[in-house]
Every structure is written in C-alpha cells, then in structure tokens.
Amino acid sequence: MALLTEPLGGTIALEGARKVRGNLTQARIRWMILAMVLGFGLVGGRLVQLGMVVPDHSIEGQTRDVITATRPPILDRNGLEMAVDIRVPSLFAEPRRIIDVEEAVRDLRTVLPDLKEDWLRDRLTGDKGFVWVQRELTPAIQERVMRLGIPGVDFITESKRFYPAMSEASHILGSTNIDNQGIAGIERHMDSENVALLQDLGLARGNALAPVELSVDMRVQHVMHEQLSDAMTRYQAIAAAGVMMDVHTGEIVAMASLPDFNPNEPATALVKDTFNRVTSGIFEPGSTFKTVTVAGALDSGAVSLTDQFDARFGIRFGRFTIGDFHGKHRILSLPEVFKYSSNIGTIRIMQAMGKDNFREFLTRMGFDERVPFELPEMRLPAVPETLSEVGAATVSFGHGLSVSPLHLVTAYAAFSNGGNYVPPTLYKRDATEAQQLYRRVVSPQTSEAIRYLMRLNALEGSGSQMNKAAAGYRAGGKTGTAEKVVDGRYSSNKVTNFFASAFPLDNPRYAMVIMVDEPKAENPQSGTTAGWNAGAITGRIVQRVAPMLGIAPDFSEAIDLNLVPPALR
C-alpha cells in the first residue's frame, strides 16, 4: 500500500484502499448481473416449459390438475360476491386395489342407495387406476363412506362453483359444468379469456386468481328481478325481461330474463324458454322503434320539431292501408306524432327522410350486426337488407324487423347521452375509457330533441303510467306493443310489450328496456297495451333504484320546462 501526499494542503489518497473498494464494487456488480441472468433464465425456462405442456384429457390426468383448479371470484361493482368457489369432496375408486368387489358394492350402496348395483359393480371391476364413483358429495356422506373403510376407495377435494344470489343474475353469470369449466354466460366468456388455460397449466389452484369485477349493481339487479317476477304473476305473462345501461360508460347495471334458472343447478337451464331474452331473443320492437325513425329524420335535417304531418287518412300501399291505432284524424305536429304514437305520421316522417337514408341510419345504429358484448348467448337482428316502399313504412313504426332488447337499449343510450354510440359491457369501465369507444351517431341537438320527446310522452302520452310510479325522477320513454305472429299471421290477442326509456332526462344517466310477453290485463280497469305493464314496471323500478344510484327526486316543474327546445318555447 502506498501513501501519496501532495504539497501545500492537497488531499491525501490511499491508493490501495480505493483500489480494493473498486474491486469489491465490480465484483458485486458482476454477481448481481449473474444473479439476474440466472433469474431471467429460470423464469424463461419455466415459461418455455409451460408453453410445451400438452394437457392430459384423460380422467386420470384431470384428477389433480383440472378438477382441483379454481375459478376467480366474480364480484358486483360494489364488491358483493356473485360467484365463488367452494370445496367439496368427491368419491373415487382404484379398482385394482379393491380386494372384494361384491363387498365394496354392497357397503357403498348402504350409503349411496341411488347408485345402480350393476353399474357400480362394473365400475369397481378391473385393473383401472382411477374411476369416479360419485362427485360433489356432502361432508356427512363423506364421513359415512370413510367409516366403511373400503380399501381402494378415497376422496378428492374438488372446486365447485357457488352462486349466492341463486337465480337473480343467472343469465349474466351463466354456469359451469361439473369440471368447473364455464359453459354459459360470463363464466364461459372468462374461459375464453384464458381462465381455462390457467387451469390447464395448473396455475389456478387455491385462491391464486384475482377477483373479476362486473359492472352489475346487485342492489339494482335484485329490484329488477323482483319486479319482473311480480310482472309474471300480476300480468299472467309467459315471460318478462329487462336491462339497464349507464348511458355514458355503456356499463350494464342490471339485466334479467324470466323464466330463468338456478346456476347452482345447471340442469334447470334446460327447462323450456329459459333463454336470455335480452341478448338471444329478437322481437318486433313495435312503437319503441318510432324513436329511431324520428331521431334519424331529425338528424338528417329532413324534418324539424316544428314540422306538421297529415294524419287525417290512412296511407295506401296497393291493396293495403296503414292507419293509426287511436287515430286523431287531423294534421299533427312532430311532437304530437310521437306523443300519440301515430303510424301515419311516423311513415310521413320516414318518407321525408327517404327510405334509403332511413335504411342507412339503421346500419349506423348497429341494427345490422351483433352488439359487441361479452355474453356468448347472442342473436343477430333480422332487418331487411333493402326496403321497399311498404317495407320501409312498416319498419318505421317497428314492424317487419326484429331486434334484441340489448340493441334497443344501446340505441336509446346513444339518443340520451348527447348522440354517442357506446358498446355495452358487463365489466367495469370508467368514463375516460368509454369515451375512447364513442362513435357519434346523432348530433347533440338531435339528442336534446329526443330527450324532450321522451319526457313529453311520459307527461302527456302513453308513458303516463310509468310517470306516476316514477314521480320526481323525470323518466321518459316510448311504449311499444307488437302483435305476435301465430301460424303465419299477426295475432290481435297475443302481444309483446316494451317500454324503452331513460332517466333522469335533465341529466341522463341510465337507459332501460323492459319487455313483457303476452301480458293480460291486471284488472277490468286496465288494458293490455305496453303502458299498463312494461311502462308501469319501468316506473316502479326507477322509483326504487334511483335513490340507490344517487339520484334525488325533484318535483320542480321548471326542470321539465327547461327540457323544451328553444324552437318550441
């Protein structure tokens, strides 16, 4: 070690010490680099190994990896559990280890009498290393079988999906099969998003998977499901369905369809008519579609809110004449056409726009294609590719085409939120993310006019029953009563009713579509048109869920007056 000095107060440096420190630092850096290289190498090797895994689809191969694999918990938007995994015992046997098959059969049937004797004997005979005997047993049954002490018979703890809310959100959640794999609903969609792959690779055991948060609010879901159940009894309907959507983010807040099923018992989904009518049912939307026609015509500039239309006489197409259900037989202003749900006036509005422009507008609104949505249960709408004169006339008031309630609620959301089409989703989505998906379909001025018309219909038109039930929340919308086709002809006594709406219309936040299939009159004083059932259900739902969603009632008439566009003041 050399000691170096500098004259006249210079610094003193220990050359050997600096060199030693330098060597130590370099050595540490080399070790760190080596450790990092080894670490990345191990991770890379593991990834390559996982990538080369070929799943074993034999029952023996599945026993440890797949059937013990878990699925991520599903939560609603407030963190409430909608689907969780529970652990259940399943009974298996190793036939080659069973000493006395007849004795094993006899003893097992004392605890599991439902097992067929011949089937069980065949099951336990041979030299197989693994066979299922019965899966998903209760702990009590497990205890009784264990007391039998049969050699070659044992248990595996499996993961079983459990849905705490039973049937309330069944069409959203779907269900899983006995191997805990998604077969319907969001469960199936999650598998398409790699949950199944993680299970195959053995990376989904225990509580390894993060919860999946949905956009659904189970408080609102409960109210909607309860009201639809009530409607089935109150109106003796054969089916009812509803969907509510955040108009700004596209988040589905609630969605229910009855008859439904209990996802804890997947076999109940096989009962007739338990399909999801919101996504996989398509229907003639009736007069709810007049809102689409009016929005398209207003946005095209072909008509304005101050225009008037001759509705004194029906419109003839060859041998056919189209009239109004409750005709006024006079000239109607555009708001009156909407309020009185005039077929004649709506046809004239469409004709002012032009049938080809009208058809193009249907494409712009997404009525030609599947709604971009997570649920696999989805049907394409049935809309004619080209429209004849009479075809365009009937489609303008909601006949001669079929769309799903999901299509309809997405259109109403766009009409209410300022004119932006936003794809619906069952996952949580914030406003910034949603705005990146916006596609403008109508102008803000058209959106303002449609909000006014929907509120007008609630105050003075066919939405009055809805408005009574939702007083203070400024809901509005349009009724639709569509005759069903029976034996190739429209039936006058079998109808499907709709109410498509949004609230609160002074600051729109939610759009909703309620459907009731083949309703009967609630009492001699009521009718069977949509305002009496689908409209009333909408009002009752709004009245109960608005406070939950942070919307306060306000009975000030000034709010409704402010919704009137300047051209009509």
Side-chain angles (χ1 to χ4, degrees), residues 23-39:
N23 290 339
L24 283 173
T25 301
Q26 290 177 3
R28 287 171 181 164
I29 292 173
R30 284 195 293 270
W31 279 110
M32 288 178 62
I33 293 174
L34 180 61
M36 292 174 65
V37 169
L38 288 173

Side-chain angles (χ1 to χ4, degrees), residues 75-80 82 168-169 172 214-225 244 251-255 426 428 509-510 545 547-550:
L75 312 178
D76 84 337
R77 64 184 304 109
N78 301 311
L80 190 69
M82 298 177 69
E168 279 195 357
I172 295 172
L214 299 187
S215 59
V216 176
D217 186 326
M218 279 303 290
R219 300 171 303 171
V220 181
Q221 180 74 20
H222 170 75
V223 172
M224 179 175 282
H225 186 271
M244 184 186 297
E251 293 173 293
I252 297 298
V253 181
M255 181 174 70
L426 278 172
K428 292 180 78 171
R509 290 177 56 186
Y510 300 99
V545 306
M548 299 176 187
L549 297 169

Side-chain angles (χ1 to χ4, degrees), residues 224 227-229 231-232 235 237-243 256-259 273 275-286 288 403-406 408 480-482 484 495-501 512-519 530 533-535 537-538 541:
M224 179 175 282
Q227 286 299 319
L228 294 175
S229 299
M232 296 281 284
Y235 308 117
I238 64 169
V243 55
S257 176
L258 277 73
D273 291 336
F275 67 95
N276 184 355
R277 287 167 169 78
V278 175
T279 60
S280 56
I282 58 173
F283 309 89
E284 286 199 349
T288 57
V403 301
S404 72
L406 188 65
L408 208 54
T481 301
K484 298 182 73 170
V495 296
T496 307
N497 288 351
F498 297 89
F499 195 85
S501 62
M512 178 162 49
V513 169
I514 295 295
M515 185 274 285
V516 187
D517 201 357
E518 294 189 22
N533 38 72
I537 296 167
T538 300
I541 292 175

Side-chain angles (χ1 to χ4, degrees), residues 127 160 240 249 315 394 405 516 521 562 566:
D127 60 354
K160 175 179 171 60
T249 65
I315 301 177
T394 58
V516 187
N562 287 335

Side-chain angles (χ1 to χ4, degrees), residues 74-95:
I74 299 177
L75 312 178
D76 84 337
R77 64 184 304 109
N78 301 311
L80 190 69
E81 290 181 335
M82 298 177 69
V84 293
D85 272 8
I86 58 174
R87 312 296 282 174
V88 295
S90 287
L91 180 64
F92 73 94
E94 299 174 84

Side-chain angles (χ1 to χ4, degrees), residues 487-558:
D487 298 329
R489 303 185 65 177
Y490 282 108
S491 168
S492 59
N493 57 5
K494 289 188 176 181
V495 296
T496 307
N497 288 351
F498 297 89
F499 195 85
S501 62
F503 71 98
L505 285 173
D506 58 314
N507 181 24
R509 290 177 56 186
Y510 300 99
M512 178 162 49
V513 169
I514 295 295
M515 185 274 285
V516 187
D517 201 357
E518 294 189 22
K520 310 292 186 302
E522 183 180 7
N523 54 57
Q525 289 73 43
S526 62
T528 58
T529 52
W532 291 100
N533 38 72
I537 296 167
T538 300
R540 290 194 289 268
I541 292 175
V542 172
Q543 192 270 336
R544 288 185 57 186
V545 306
M548 299 176 187
L549 297 169
I551 301 170
D554 191 331
F555 296 89
S556 172
E557 294 182 0

Side-chain angles (χ1 to χ4, degrees), residues 16 69 171 193-194 202 214 230 247 287 333 364 378 401 404 407 457:
H171 286 297
E193 288 191 323
N194 299 328
L214 299 187
D230 176 67
V247 301
S287 295
S333 67
R364 195 194 316 170
M378 180 75 70
L401 81 165
S404 72
H407 281 87
N457 193 47

